[in-house]
Amino acid sequence: MSQANRLNHGGRVDRSKPLTFTYNGKQYTGYQGDTLASAMLANGIDVVARSFKYSRPRGIIAAGAEEPNAVLQLGATEATQVPNVRATQQELFDGLVCASTNGWPSVDSDVMGVVGKIGGNMMPPGFYYKTFMFPESLWETYESMIRKAAGMGRAPRLPDPDTYDTMNQHCDLLVVGAGPAGLAAALTAARGGARVILADEQNEFGGSLLNTTELLDGKPALDWVQEVVVELAACEQVTLLPRATVNGYHDHNFLTIHERLSDHLADIAPARMVRQRMHRVRAKWVVLATGAHERPLVYANNDVPGCMISSAVSTYINRFGVVPGYDLVVMTTNDYGYQAALDWADAGRNVVAIVDTREEASGARVEAARERGLTIMLGSGVIEAQGSKRVSGVSVAKLSADGGQVVGSITKLKADTLATSGGWSPVIHLSCHTGCRPQWSDEVVGFLPGPTIQKQLTAGGINGQYETAQVLEEGIAAGQQALSNMGLVAAPVSVPSATSLSITPPMSVFHIPHIKPTSQAPKQFVDYQTDVTAAGIEIACREGFEAIEHVKRYTAMGFGTDQGKLGNINGMAVAAKALNKSIPETGTTIFRPNYTPVAFGAIVGRHCGALFEPKRFTAMHPWHVAQGALFEDVGQWKRPWYFPKQGESMQQALNRECLAVRNAVGILDASTLGKIDIQGKDAREFLGRVYSNAWAKLAVGKCRYGLMCGEDGMVFDDGVTACLGENHFVMTTTTGGAAHVYEWLELYHQTEWPELEVYFNTVTDHWSTATITGPNSRKLLAELTDADVSNDSFHFMDWKQITVAGVPARVFRISFTGELSFEINVQANYGMAVWEQLIAAGEKYGITPYGTETMHILRAEKGFIIAGQDTDGSVTPYDLGMGWCVSNQKPFSYIGKRGMSREDCVRDNRKQLVGLKTKDPKQVIPEGSAAILDPNAAMPIPIEGHVSSSYWSECLGHSIAMGFIRDGLNKMGDTVYYPLADGTMIEAEICSPIFYDPKGERQNV
């Protein structure tokens, strides 16, 4: 297909290498070296998006990271979809597929555009907040409609096929930006022997020199660039990172660099290539040579496709050989704007006029325009653009000396392109990341980096210096200063001669007036991506939002993926005028990471899936899989949830497993329980301090249950600890709490009681645990050991070192079900063998494997808590009815003792754990249900508590529940009510949480 706007010569594209791409289902052609944006402009594509709020047609405005409109969806397949990619930063590759992110049925003919035309003035700032509050029942509908209308791309629904990685690096000097200042700084530092990293977001080094026809030392500027890059590449201590955006600058000169390694090659990275890499760099010194972004001017209908910034016009002509139109009008407040007109004329296209807001203009570029006979209209401004899907003309009027009012008649000019230049905004974003507040410069008419405590230098455009000769000098000076700061000797670097152009200061104009008041004039956009208008900012100020941060949040100025790179200063100027303040008095918003959007994959790197959160399996896992177990994740462990048989529902399987445990014998894989080996002469003392109960007299061969509390007195974990020797213990914890408890023990030992001689080792993975439970469990164990396991020899809460199935084992007689139970612990490599022998020997006794859900039911029948389910960080042992597990007679206070004594913890009417028995035995109260005492009380009804555990008990023939009720221990026999979402109510009686075998006879037989 013909590229109507492509020049036959010039630019840095390779016309011998055509590339095809597809946009919205239609195929086009570009060349190697194009960006997606330049290829779209070459093919005459005007409309690339619809605006956020009003669905107005939008075209390409800029040529770099500041582009707000050309944000597209990339990817030929569902798995390779990438949302919100800037066409100006995406290099063209053969077969690239992209689409606009909004517009229905198409971006050219969007039905929602009618809303913008009819109701545009009815959607001021705060419109969504004020309009969609009522009725509450439609909130979800409102949200789905608004999200769909926003049209900011969609995330893929399939896994990402690409690989990402991260790299940690150190350097003496990190230079951010490889324009003339950055190249000069890096070259200077490299010659001085410094380890240098040079990073730039573009695919080629050169920065602004890539877009000009400027000469250095009498030769094309890119010849100098090439010489510098070749020298730097030959230095072993220099790392060159093109296509690499420094997206975050953090304290202590820690910076992150987002490098795109294969985005320019294909949808999916070629074999053995990663797609993107995140460099985490610690630099001794940093040079910020990030340049500046040209500001557009704010005028009526300034969002019509064909409205661009003037430097972008020059970039597309000089770098890509693309002229984005035929008839150009330039509006400028400074000399730089003239360059677009000169480049346009050199490309053989028609320059209709240069409209300069200044009363007088001189300088090399101005004189060059006059010499070519270009029409210059001084003291004037373009007050309005005409057109819908493309500029068709402009209205020009004479302005007052300060540019604040229209003072003359309107002249209409025909044009299809309007380029504007309101001056330049230094790219200070990275300097803000560490808390440095920008400072306004009237001379630069922009914000400059403020003072910083970082080891940071700046050079070039970020300092408001835009002429190449001075930029090069600043770059060399920054490199030499960095060397001096590091104690290195600077090597000589000559400054290439560049044409020095005399530049008059830019005029401080941001918002071009209209013959109508701002609120009545056609829309004048400040932030294109979020549809923030000058009228909207004025309204926000009238409604009382005076702080610029509040104006930003109320209007959404700077909220988009471009983060206000084009619009922020214009918005501050409009707000300042509305508030009758200066821009320094109004202030500026502060930029935060990331500078440009970063893929989640690049942030994560290879730390995903099993490398991020490994799946942990017990030694018996293959057996569970073979038996058809369903699993649940507990911590990182895969634990059998229950073992369904053919045709069984979950509840039927649970009923069968529970009855087997109560009537015969069940077997549970308890290997995942946390196990911490504790040794040392002060081990016993340490246990007494971390547990709420006493441990000084626990005999060897005995076990004890304990509660752990935080300093606030709230229970956070529990478990059984066994005394293996006088100074040797093994502590068990909950599966999910094992890592936290281990860390907690180390924390208190190292920071609070370092004088205690005690040592900890996590041994969870070292042991496999098979728990056999039920009336037949002793018979089963007796078959597989020569040891005496009778009740007379092996008491409840004892442990023994015996042999089970020919394997040395630690066997603990403890119970979490209330039944006769034995926990058999063997070295993990023998876990499967012992398990299989237990299963084989247990067949005659009706052995049944059971999972965690059955375990939960069985323990609830006995009123045993689960830390994390029946505790939530707000309950003390006394709230749980477990005051028996607290000892206040210990010589050294335990952790949490003072917390439990706080006024709030000893007050009456605290929520306390109780049992709940529904009046209808078949009703099961949903966990989390809120309790009320009076179902007929007026709204809002006071909440008296909630349900923490609730199950159907097949053993008891009715439902059981545990929950918290205010002063519940004194309300036994009272009735509480649990409202459900469907409007019904469950009635329950408060009772003891011990539903089964309240005397504990079964576990002691």
Side-chain angles (χ1 to χ4, degrees):
M1 181 176 288
S2 172
Q3 298 180 46
N5 290 332
R6 180 77 72 178
L7 297 174
N8 294 324
H9 60 280
R12 297 185 58 73
V13 295
D14 188 343
R15 291 173 175 80
S16 68
K17 296 180 180 179
L19 305 172
T20 61
F21 70 100
T22 301
Y23 169 64
N24 283 344
K26 190 173 181 179
Q27 193 172 85
Y28 299 90
T29 303
Y31 295 121
Q32 185 76 40
D34 265 324
T35 63
L36 179 54
S38 67
M40 295 175 81
L41 288 172
N43 284 276
I45 297 173
D46 295 326
V47 181
V48 298
R50 288 281 172 161
S51 72
F52 174 78
K53 186 190 283 187
Y54 305 114
S55 294
R56 290 166 65 106
R58 290 286 166 82
I60 295 170
I61 292 179
E66 70 273 28
E67 170 60 39
N69 293 337
V71 178
L72 305 177
Q73 186 89 13
L74 258 64
T77 66
E78 179 60 35
T80 59
Q81 292 291 301
V82 182
N84 301 330
V85 176
R86 281 186 177 78
T88 52
Q89 293 188 298
Q90 174 61 51
E91 294 175 61
L92 194 66
F93 59 79
D94 198 40
L96 183 150
V97 176
C98 64
S100 51
T101 60
N102 53 8
W104 184 85
S106 72
V107 72
D108 288 305
S109 302
D110 182 20
V111 172
M112 288 294 294
V114 177
V115 176
K117 290 180 180 179
I118 297 175
N121 293 327
M122 299 171 63
M123 291 190 284
F127 168 75
Y128 294 107
Y129 307 128
K130 299 170 183 175
T131 306
F132 297 106
M133 293 179 65
F134 305 100
E136 184 177 334
S137 59
L138 291 179
W139 280 0
E140 291 187 6
T141 303
Y142 292 151
E143 182 180 4
S144 63
M145 291 170 57
I146 294 169
R147 285 187 181 278
K148 186 174 182 180
M152 294 299 288
R154 65 178 182 84
R157 290 184 285 266
L158 294 177
D160 191 338
D162 286 309
T163 301
Y164 305 81
D165 68 15
T166 57
M167 181 178 290
N168 297 315
Q169 298 200 74
H170 294 261
C171 64
D172 296 322
L173 180 66
L174 172 60
V175 180
V176 184
L183 287 171
L187 181 64
T188 302
R191 286 183 178 177
R195 293 178 302 159
V196 178
I197 295 177
L198 175 62
D200 192 277
E201 64 186 354
Q202 299 197 75
N203 65 311
E204 293 183 277
F205 289 160
S208 61
L209 299 180
L210 294 167
N211 314 325
T212 71
T213 56
E214 201 165 349
L215 301 178
L216 292 178
D217 287 338
K219 298 181 292 185
L222 290 179
D223 288 357
W224 176 81
V225 171
Q226 181 64 22
E227 291 171 4
V228 173
V229 171
V230 169
E231 181 175 341
L232 290 174
C235 296
E236 290 186 3
Q237 74 272 25
V238 174
T239 300
L240 302 179
L241 296 176
R243 302 185 180 92
T245 303
V246 180
N247 63 295
Y249 191 166
H250 309 277
D251 288 339
H252 312 294
N253 271 15
F254 173 64
L255 298 94
T256 51
I257 306 176
H258 178 218
E259 183 183 15
R260 300 169 297 282
L261 294 167
S262 63
D263 288 42
H264 62 293
L265 299 176
D267 264 359
I268 301 177
R272 297 183 179 86
M273 279 192 71
V274 297
R275 185 177 188 89
Q276 297 174 4
R277 175 178 294 137
M278 186 68 78
H279 297 261
R280 299 183 293 211
V281 180
R282 292 198 179 274
K284 290 181 180 177
W285 280 87
V286 171
V287 170
L288 296 181
T290 48
H293 291 144
E294 191 173 27
R295 286 192 302 270
L297 287 163
V298 178
Y299 53 92
N301 289 331
N302 58 338
D303 66 327
V304 177
C307 293
M308 304 178 71
I309 55 176
S310 63
S311 60
V313 169
S314 293
T315 296
Y316 288 116
I317 293 172
N318 296 326
R319 184 173 178 183
F320 301 106
V322 173
V323 188
Y326 292 90
D327 301 302
L328 173 71
V329 171
V330 173
M331 175 170 55
T332 184
T333 66
N334 57 81
D335 291 4
Y336 295 100
Y338 284 75
Q339 188 63 49
L342 297 173
D343 292 331
W344 192 277
D346 289 343
R349 300 288 172 92
N350 177 40
V351 177
V352 178
I354 300 173
V355 181
D356 194 328
T357 60
R358 299 172 295 181
E359 295 282 350
E360 297 180 359
S362 60
R365 292 184 177 90
V366 178
E367 295 308 318
R370 288 186 173 132
E371 289 174 5
R372 299 185 191 204
L374 302 183
T375 301
I376 300 175
M377 304 172 70
L378 295 173
S380 302
V382 175
I383 65 170
E384 184 177 335
Q386 284 84 43
S388 175
K389 296 180 182 178
R390 178 76 194 199
V391 171
S392 59
V394 300
S395 297
V396 181
K398 196 76 174 174
L399 303 180
S400 59
D402 64 357
Q405 291 182 322
V406 175
V407 296
S409 60
I410 295 174
T411 301
K412 296 209 172 183
L413 304 174
K414 289 186 177 181
D416 61 8
T417 307
L418 172 56
T420 66
S421 175
W424 295 80
S425 300
V427 180
I428 58 174
H429 301 66
L430 291 176
S431 69
C432 293
H433 289 182
T434 56
C436 166
R437 295 200 68 85
Q439 296 183 339
W440 179 258
S441 167
D442 286 325
E443 182 180 353
V444 173
V445 190
F447 283 98
L448 300 178
T452 179
I453 62 172
Q454 305 298 322
K455 294 182 176 181
Q456 167 197 301
L457 303 167
T458 56
I462 191 174
N463 293 333
Q465 181 58 259
Y466 309 128
E467 283 303 311
T468 303
Q470 287 73 33
V471 167
L472 288 167
E473 288 178 0
E474 285 198 3
I476 293 172
Q480 290 173 338
Q481 183 64 54
L483 289 171
S484 175
N485 293 342
M486 292 183 287
L488 298 174
V489 179
V493 177
S494 60
V495 180
S497 62
T499 304
S500 181
L501 302 177
S502 59
I503 299 295
T504 56
M507 185 176 180
S508 185
V509 174
F510 309 91
H511 180 197
I512 304 300
H514 196 273
I515 57 174
K516 296 180 181 180
T518 303
S519 60
Q520 298 175 20
K523 286 185 167 48
Q524 302 161 323
F525 287 93
V526 173
D527 189 312
Y528 297 91
Q529 197 168 89
T530 54
D531 271 2
V532 178
T533 63
I537 294 174
E538 291 181 358
I539 289 173
C541 294
R542 287 201 299 271
E543 291 191 8
F545 293 93
E546 297 184 357
I548 194 64
E549 291 284 3
H550 294 164
V551 173
K552 170 183 176 177
R553 280 152 183 78
Y554 190 57
T555 63
M557 180 180 73
F559 269 25
T561 58
D562 70 323
Q563 287 292 289
K565 291 181 176 66
L566 289 183
N568 264 20
I569 289 182
N570 288 336
M572 292 166 206
V574 173
K577 184 177 180 181
L579 295 169
N580 197 27
K581 295 180 179 179
S582 67
I583 291 180
E585 289 173 328
T586 304
T588 178
T589 56
I590 299 298
F591 300 101
R592 295 184 291 264
N594 290 307
Y595 174 69
T596 52
V598 178
F600 283 118
I603 296 172
V604 172
R606 297 182 187 269
H607 301 288
C608 58
L611 292 178
F612 174 69
E613 185 174 22
K615 295 177 182 177
R616 302 177 72 181
F617 306 101
T618 70
M620 290 80 93
H621 185 79
W623 189 93
H624 303 322
V625 172
Q627 298 303 310
L630 297 180
F631 295 89
E632 71 169 339
D633 295 325
V634 185
Q636 295 174 331
W637 292 95
K638 292 290 184 181
R639 293 198 68 177
W641 190 19
Y642 63 99
F643 292 82
K645 291 188 175 181
Q646 186 69 32
E648 274 188 334
S649 67
M650 178 178 178
Q651 190 60 56
Q652 289 170 335
L654 298 178
N655 293 344
R656 173 178 51 79
E657 292 176 10
C658 286
L659 291 173
V661 171
R662 295 297 186 203
N663 299 320
V665 61
I667 184 168
L668 171 76
D669 184 354
S671 306
T672 64
L673 292 177
K675 306 173 191 71
I676 302 172
D677 190 86
I678 303 174
Q679 299 187 46
K681 70 179 182 65
D682 295 317
R684 194 178 293 270
E685 171 65 20
F686 190 89
L687 288 174
R689 298 184 185 186
V690 298
Y691 276 126
S692 63
N693 49 336
W695 293 82
K697 297 180 181 180
L698 184 65
V700 176
K702 293 293 184 179
C703 308
R704 180 167 293 165
Y705 173 81
L707 288 176
M708 291 182 177
C709 301
E711 292 182 355
D712 56 2
M714 305 305 166
V715 175
F716 77 87
D717 208 279
D718 68 342
V720 172
T721 292
C723 183
L724 306 185
E726 188 58 34
N727 299 316
H728 187 189
F729 298 82
V730 63
M731 172 188 289
T732 64
T733 72
T734 59
T735 297
H740 174 59
V741 171
Y742 181 70
E743 180 184 33
W744 184 70
L745 298 177
E746 287 284 8
L747 173 69
Y748 274 88
H749 180 228
Q750 294 180 33
T751 63
E752 302 297 327
W753 309 310
E755 72 280 2
L756 297 184
E757 186 178 313
V758 60
Y759 309 96
F760 315 100
N761 281 291
T762 176
V763 293
T764 302
D765 299 85
H766 297 193
W767 298 87
S768 286
T769 305
T771 300
I772 53 174
T773 303
N776 293 334
S777 58
R778 180 180 284 118
K779 297 175 184 176
L780 173 57
L781 180 59
E783 281 199 19
L784 297 174
T785 182
D786 293 332
D788 183 359
V789 294
S790 67
N791 195 39
D792 293 335
S793 176
F794 200 169
H795 301 125
F796 180 61
M797 297 303 281
D798 283 356
W799 79 272
K800 286 182 177 291
Q801 181 77 42
I802 63 176
T803 298
V804 179
V807 177
R810 289 177 183 168
V811 180
F812 301 84
R813 190 181 163 189
I814 55 180
S815 179
F816 195 45
T817 63
E819 295 291 338
L820 174 65
S821 298
F822 299 90
E823 278 192 9
I824 303 168
N825 292 263
V826 297
Q827 202 273 338
N829 291 336
Y830 298 97
M832 177 67 88
V834 172
W835 179 274
E836 289 178 335
Q837 291 192 60
L838 286 167
I839 293 292
E843 287 185 5
K844 67 175 73 68
Y845 301 113
I847 194 167
T848 300
Y850 67 98
T852 54
E853 191 66 16
T854 296
M855 177 187 71
H856 289 179
I857 298 171
L858 296 170
R859 63 88 196 176
E861 290 173 346
K862 284 291 296 177
F864 297 153
I865 68 162
I866 292 183
Q869 179 169 332
D870 299 302
T871 66
D872 61 1
S874 68
V875 295
T876 69
Y878 297 102
D879 297 332
L880 296 169
M882 298 175 69
W884 54 266
C885 202
V886 177
S887 172
N888 291 314
Q889 306 304 315
K890 294 186 284 188
F892 195 99
S893 178
Y894 56 89
I895 298 172
K897 181 177 181 179
R898 284 183 295 176
M900 290 181 211
S901 302
R902 288 179 296 130
E903 181 180 354
D904 180 67
C905 293
V906 297
R907 64 175 169 81
D908 294 334
N909 209 34
R910 279 185 65 83
K911 293 180 181 178
Q912 297 169 333
L913 186 70
V914 296
L916 298 163
K917 188 175 181 180
T918 57
K919 295 296 180 70
D920 180 351
K922 296 187 180 302
Q923 284 188 303
V924 179
I925 311 173
E927 289 181 351
S929 296
I932 61 175
L933 296 181
D934 182 2
N936 298 314
M939 298 290 285
I941 302 176
I943 302 300
E944 296 298 316
H946 68 280
V947 174
S948 58
S949 296
S950 183
Y951 310 95
W952 169 258
S953 171
E954 186 69 11
C955 300
L956 298 172
H958 60 78
S959 69
I960 59 171
M962 297 163 63
F964 289 86
I965 299 293
R966 294 188 190 279
D967 197 26
L969 297 178
N970 292 322
K971 292 180 179 177
M972 293 295 164
D974 289 0
T975 299
V976 287
Y977 302 86
Y978 293 90
L980 303 183
D982 62 4
T984 61
M985 193 91 63
I986 294 181
E987 192 174 346
E989 177 188 337
I990 300 175
C991 62
S992 167
I994 306 174
F995 296 93
Y996 184 84
D997 187 26
K999 294 183 179 180
E1001 295 170 344
R1002 297 179 67 91
Q1003 67 187 14
N1004 289 303
V1005 296

